[in-house]
Amino acid sequence: MKRALITGITGQDGAYLSKFLLEKGYDVYGAFRRTADLNVNKLRFLGVEDRIHFVPLELLEYSNICKAIEKVRPEEIYNLAAQSFVSLSFEEPVFTSEVTAIGTLRVLEAIRAINSRIKFYQASSSEMFGKVQAKPQNEATSFYPRSPYAVSKLFGHWISVNYRESYGLFACSGILFNHESPLRGLEFVTRKITYSVARIKLGLQDELKLGQLDSKRDWGYAAEYVQAMWLMLQQEKPDDYVIATGETHSVREFVEAAFEQIGIKLEWSGKGVEEKGRDAKTGKTLVSIDPQYFRPAEVDLLMGDASKAKKALGWNPKTTFKDLVGIMVESDLKLVEREKKGKGL
Ligand code: F7E
């Protein structure tokens, strides 16, 4: 039985990856921070929380990482932990870098010191392309990060490449474009939209307030993206891969598609912060702009080219944009119904 150690196990990707690896027959070890409450909601949602071995591990503390690796003796480490909210990284740039950039280096150093045969997956991000230098973006596209988060991820990416080239570590960097699901945190725009749409439908909320509506993202389904992480570590040679759908849609399109799921067609009027999205039938305002959600520097457009992963890993995204929005709205309608009855998750 292979052992995998996952940092960031309580997040969206940690939960889907755990389920996937358990189905593959792995023993799954999940790193958790002693300083934070262990929140297993996402793992519970997928019915796997009882099958995870939890191990204390703090990415800010080198000796702690070593202890965890010595105890678990994993064949594979998936480094999914990060301060991953782009907006917050402008407020907490130092903390973000400590966890997201130097945290990655600490894990790599620990692998080098303890057992350099451990395979390492680094969760890199399409945010590294930032102010994009080519369209679509692939593994050869130049990076231009636009936030402390993206700069930190770029460090994590290059230090993984560097440890592969300098010390022969089996380190892979998966450059994943935005990937969403019912388990996405509510602070991210897709889930904020689908949860709010469900609340509006069930009469618990009047309006959805958003920032930049014209940002475009390549949105895929997280459950499919974690399979690519595993595939990367099963190849003969370590390498880096872009994982994406190849399609791009604006936040505005996501909002429209989500409201369509509950039978509402939106009509837009006004410009800039005065823009409103109204129910085309009733004229009621359902979407408005709140400048607090604007970022000091924005990433306008992301669109990935995953041809390398398709060819080398045989990985292909299956869920369409419309299906993804549908899955998320349906799930949130059920959740909000339960919340309305006072039952919670
Ligand atoms: O924003 C705009 C916002 O926070 C998407 C992380 O997983 O994917 C994610 O990063 C877009 C941006 O994700 C709101 O300005 C408008 O243009 O959902 P997001 P992100 O910044 O793309 C990458 C791949 C990662 O690696 C990251 O860890 O939507 N937007 N109005 C808004 N965004 C938020 N959050 N909230 C709003 O109200």
Side-chain angles (χ1 to χ4, degrees), residues 12 82-87 123-127 149 153 176-180 184 186-193 208-217 219 251 290 293-295 298-300 302:
Q12 166 188 266
Q83 190 305 94
S84 64
F85 189 27
V86 174
S87 215
S124 289
S125 163
S126 54
E127 282 293 300
Y149 166 77
K153 279 288 179 190
L176 270 54
F177 281 62
N178 296 54
H179 43 289
E180 319 294 313
R184 191 55 145 148
L186 287 167
E187 65 275 35
F188 298 98
V189 79
T190 55
R191 185 72 204 296
K192 176 174 169 182
I193 295 168
L208 162 62
K209 290 186 193 295
L210 292 169
Q212 182 51 257
L213 292 178
D214 293 313
S215 301
K216 290 184 148 186
R217 292 290 185 275
W219 277 300
V251 171
D290 185 336
Y293 299 113
F294 292 153
R295 295 173 180 181
E298 184 55 89
V299 171
D300 298 325
L302 292 172

Side-chain angles (χ1 to χ4, degrees), residues 26-47:
Y26 277 69
D27 239 349
V28 177
Y29 291 80
F32 75 97
R33 307 178 66 203
R34 275 193 218 270
T35 47
D37 282 343
L38 178 59
N39 182 341
V40 294
N41 278 351
K42 294 184 188 355
L43 293 160
R44 186 177 301 134
F45 186 94
L46 298 181

Side-chain angles (χ1 to χ4, degrees), residues 219 221 224 245 247 317-327:
W219 277 300
Y221 184 32
E224 293 171 359
T245 70
E247 266 185 43
K318 295 185 183 66
T319 307
T320 64
F321 173 73
K322 203 167 175 266
D323 290 345
L324 175 64
V325 178
I327 291 169

Side-chain angles (χ1 to χ4, degrees), residues 113-309:
I114 296 165
N115 174 6
S116 58
R117 287 189 313 281
I118 296 172
K119 294 182 174 181
F120 176 75
Y121 173 83
Q122 169 60 9
S124 289
S125 163
S126 54
E127 282 293 300
M128 302 188 310
F129 295 118
K131 191 169 176 184
V132 295
Q133 303 295 297
K135 189 184 154 191
Q137 299 86 48
N138 65 23
E139 296 79 5
T141 306
S142 303
F143 298 115
Y144 194 140
R146 294 270 282 170
S147 63
Y149 166 77
V151 173
S152 302
K153 279 288 179 190
L154 196 50
F155 178 90
H157 169 75
W158 280 121
I159 202 68
S160 301
V161 173
N162 183 254
Y163 270 52
R164 181 169 77 216
E165 294 176 352
S166 307
Y167 308 117
L169 290 198
F170 196 109
C172 297
S173 167
I175 307 174
L176 270 54
F177 281 62
N178 296 54
H179 43 289
E180 319 294 313
S181 75
L183 297 185
R184 191 55 145 148
L186 287 167
E187 65 275 35
F188 298 98
V189 79
T190 55
R191 185 72 204 296
K192 176 174 169 182
I193 295 168
T194 59
Y195 183 65
S196 301
V197 162
R199 285 175 55 85
I200 289 171
K201 165 85 179 165
L202 295 169
L204 297 176
Q205 186 175 326
D206 293 328
E207 232 181 284
L208 162 62
K209 290 186 193 295
L210 292 169
Q212 182 51 257
L213 292 178
D214 293 313
S215 301
K216 290 184 148 186
R217 292 290 185 275
D218 180 331
W219 277 300
Y221 184 32
E224 293 171 359
Y225 281 42
V226 299
Q227 301 177 10
M229 300 176 181
W230 176 78
L231 282 168
M232 287 179 212
L233 296 196
Q234 312 316 308
Q235 304 307 301
E236 243 173 59
K237 287 193 178 139
D239 207 344
D240 310 319
Y241 299 89
V242 158
I243 300 298
T245 70
E247 266 185 43
T248 190
H249 294 273
S250 62
V251 171
R252 185 188 302 280
E253 285 170 326
F254 197 104
V255 177
E256 288 168 357
F259 275 103
E260 246 171 53
Q261 288 290 324
I262 58 161
I264 292 179
K265 188 176 162 17
L266 280 186
E267 236 169 37
W268 301 97
S269 61
K271 282 223 166 344
V273 290
E274 300 305 327
E275 186 163 12
K276 305 276 179 221
R278 294 197 165 83
D279 183 331
K281 260 194 207 144
T282 64
K284 187 173 184 295
T285 297
L286 296 174
V287 185
S288 61
I289 305 299
D290 185 336
Q292 71 159 303
Y293 299 113
F294 292 153
R295 295 173 180 181
E298 184 55 89
V299 171
D300 298 325
L301 180 146
L302 292 172
M303 181 175 155
D305 165 14
S307 337
K308 179 176 168 183

